[in-house]
Amino acid sequence: MAEKKWIVALLLSIFVGSIGVDRFYMGYIGTGILKLITLGGFGLWWLIDLILIATKSTSFKKVTWVE
């Protein structure tokens, strides 16, 4: 598991999450590319990821949140 700063992931998700940069940061390259191609799943995927990151969800198995 990779340790990632929660605030960095949140800011990336807010500002450039619609093009998948947050997913690339967290180590999810494949879904980052899909998110990039679909422009954040036409906005819906971006919103879901934003909520999951903001709540420090455990849905991201590869990530351990650090302050």
Side-chain angles (χ1 to χ4, degrees), residues 37-53:
I37 292 169
T38 63
L39 294 176
F42 306 105
L44 184 61
W45 194 356
W46 168 78
L47 182 62
I48 291 168
D49 274 356
L50 180 63
I51 292 168
L52 289 174
I53 293 169

Side-chain angles (χ1 to χ4, degrees), residues 28-40:
Y28 292 95
I29 306 302
T31 55
I33 292 170
L34 287 174
K35 201 171 172 186
L36 173 64
I37 292 169
T38 63
L39 294 176

Side-chain angles (χ1 to χ4, degrees), residues 2-55:
E3 290 186 349
K4 299 294 179 180
K5 292 192 177 204
W6 171 75
I7 192 70
V8 173
L10 182 62
L11 290 173
L12 287 173
S13 186
I14 291 169
F15 294 111
V16 287
S18 62
I19 58 170
V21 176
D22 54 345
R23 288 277 178 155
F24 288 114
Y25 174 72
M26 293 186 291
Y28 292 95
I29 306 302
T31 55
I33 292 170
L34 287 174
K35 201 171 172 186
L36 173 64
I37 292 169
T38 63
L39 294 176
F42 306 105
L44 184 61
W45 194 356
W46 168 78
L47 182 62
I48 291 168
D49 274 356
L50 180 63
I51 292 168
L52 289 174
I53 293 169
T55 60

